[in-house]
Amino acid sequence: DGFITYNVQRIQIVDAMPIEAERATVMHEVMHALFKSQGQHDYQHDEALLEAVAHGVVEIMRRNPDLVAYITEVSK
């Protein structure tokens, strides 16, 4: 449902996807990039792991907006 092009740093997903699936798909592709950037090549291709992490992170973020605000707050 989605793919990442590393050399141009672009994530693309299929059109007309339900929003919850779209969010998880985008996060799944972000996880591919994260694992690759951290040199975790074994995990980068583990689709089951990426799917679990992506859905879990999206759900945590959705249920905990204060946590997201805390983590993303710019230090003064």
Side-chain angles (χ1 to χ4, degrees):
D1 294 330
F3 63 94
I4 185 167
T5 308
Y6 294 102
N7 62 333
V8 292
Q9 300 177 340
R10 181 181 319 153
I11 292 173
Q12 294 176 277
I13 59 171
V14 299
D15 291 332
M17 191 183 308
I19 189 64
E20 291 301 320
E22 182 177 305
R23 290 175 180 143
T25 299
V26 169
M27 186 59 71
H28 177 104
E29 298 306 322
V30 168
M31 292 294 116
H32 274 292
L34 174 75
F35 285 128
K36 180 178 174 134
S37 73
Q38 297 300 309
Q40 300 298 320
H41 302 291
D42 291 342
Y43 300 120
Q44 177 192 356
H45 301 291
D46 186 335
E47 293 297 320
L49 173 64
L50 292 170
E51 195 68 9
V53 171
H55 282 274
V57 169
V58 169
E59 188 63 17
I60 288 167
M61 292 171 68
R62 189 182 68 72
R63 290 183 180 206
N64 298 281
D66 292 341
L67 174 63
V68 174
Y70 169 73
I71 290 171
T72 59
E73 182 179 13
V74 176
S75 298
K76 297 176 185 177

